[in-house]
Amino acid sequence: MSQKFTVLFDLDGTLVDTAPDLIRAHNHVMKKFGYPSKSINELRNAVGSGAKAIMAKGNGKWKWFDEKIQNEMSDEFISFYEKNILHESTLLNGVKEFLEWCKNQNVSMAVCTNKTEHLAIDLLKKIGIYDFFEYVSGYNTFEYCKPDPRHLIKTIEILNGDKNKSIMVGDSETDANAAKAAEIPMILLKYGYTEKKSEEIYHNHLIKDFIGIEKIISKYL
């Protein structure tokens, strides 16, 4: 029996547009600690980098805060976000149809995200696509995470997959750098959670959403 093909997915900005809920959590924290809120356009490019990065971009005074205050704000961010993880977040166009196609083609699927593992699983369950994936690896699943290529390679190994029969789908240089280092082809989402332009990020294929992506994957099967 030939080895199944594996598709690895980033989560935030790739499968799910989580920016509205992450920025909502940011603004909750800012209000609680006495700082101004920000719009989605001001912070969208930072939301893929974690709570501290979002707040650092949103508040120029962040570097003035001592570590204790930073940690208090981060804890408040995570606490609020956990309770409001699916308020305005939505699947990207065509995601569910593509996941169903992969399942019908006997393609293995896993999520490789720098979101904390339990938050990633909770979001995937609540938005209704968790059961498509054989494995979910997050920021804290292993001792390393993207852009370290071992995050991708270890996930493929857990699926009993083959690195040479795998592809990564993501929206940022973090995903792309991990894929490049792992020597795995990269499908890049345009307009991702990054300040870099698409042409500045490593990729083999560029897509705006998941409509028609099966045509790309079919070439690898």
Side-chain angles (χ1 to χ4, degrees):
M1 181 179 176
S2 62
Q3 177 60 51
K4 289 203 295 183
F5 190 77
T6 301
V7 181
L8 304 177
F9 299 87
D10 175 48
L11 178 52
D12 296 86
T14 299
L15 291 170
V16 184
D17 180 9
T18 53
D21 287 328
L22 288 164
I23 294 169
R24 190 166 175 260
H26 167 275
N27 287 339
H28 162 79
V29 175
M30 291 300 110
K31 183 177 180 181
K32 183 168 182 175
F33 283 78
Y35 297 97
S37 61
K38 297 289 181 177
S39 71
I40 192 166
N41 290 333
E42 291 175 294
L43 293 182
R44 191 176 188 279
N45 290 342
V47 298
S49 302
K52 286 190 175 181
I54 297 170
M55 290 187 285
K57 181 177 176 65
N59 193 316
K61 298 178 181 178
W62 179 258
K63 61 182 179 291
W64 300 350
F65 300 157
D66 63 29
E67 188 174 354
K68 180 175 180 292
I69 296 297
Q70 288 189 23
N71 289 337
E72 285 179 9
M73 294 173 78
S74 297
D75 289 345
E76 181 64 30
F77 185 107
I78 296 299
S79 176
F80 181 87
Y81 183 64
E82 279 182 318
K83 297 169 187 172
N84 299 274
I85 200 166
L86 190 55
H87 186 74
E88 297 178 75
S89 295
T90 55
L91 291 173
L92 266 72
N93 195 24
V95 163
K96 201 156 192 178
E97 293 81 0
F98 177 63
L99 297 178
E100 289 171 347
W101 180 87
C102 286
K103 186 176 181 180
N104 291 335
Q105 296 297 316
N106 201 32
V107 169
S108 292
M109 293 177 279
V111 172
C112 288
T113 175
N114 279 356
K115 206 181 196 75
T116 303
E117 183 185 299
H118 80 276
L119 291 176
I121 291 172
D122 187 38
L123 176 58
L124 290 166
K125 286 181 176 179
K126 286 179 176 174
I127 208 163
I129 59 173
Y130 175 76
D131 290 339
F132 284 104
F133 303 105
E134 295 176 37
Y135 195 71
V136 177
S137 58
Y139 171 80
N140 57 335
T141 303
F142 312 123
E143 294 179 355
Y144 37 79
C145 64
K146 298 178 300 183
D148 192 314
R150 292 176 296 172
H151 191 169
L152 310 187
I153 293 168
K154 181 65 175 178
T155 301
I156 294 168
E157 289 175 352
I158 288 170
L159 298 182
N160 293 316
D162 182 345
K163 189 186 78 169
N164 297 317
K165 293 184 178 181
S166 302
I167 198 164
M168 177 70 192
V169 185
D171 71 305
S172 73
E173 62 271 27
T174 302
D175 305 316
N177 291 342
K180 185 176 183 180
E183 300 180 327
I184 295 171
M186 173 72 190
I187 299 176
L188 179 68
L189 269 295
K190 289 183 180 179
Y191 320 119
Y193 297 163
T194 172
E195 294 183 355
K196 288 194 173 183
K197 296 178 180 178
S198 299
E199 55 267 27
E200 298 177 295
I201 301 173
Y202 163 78
H203 62 272
N204 303 90
H205 309 278
L206 188 63
I207 59 175
K208 67 175 183 178
D209 56 28
F210 283 81
I211 302 298
I213 187 177
E214 64 273 6
K215 295 175 185 176
I216 296 172
I217 301 300
S218 294
K219 296 176 183 177
Y220 290 89
L221 299 181

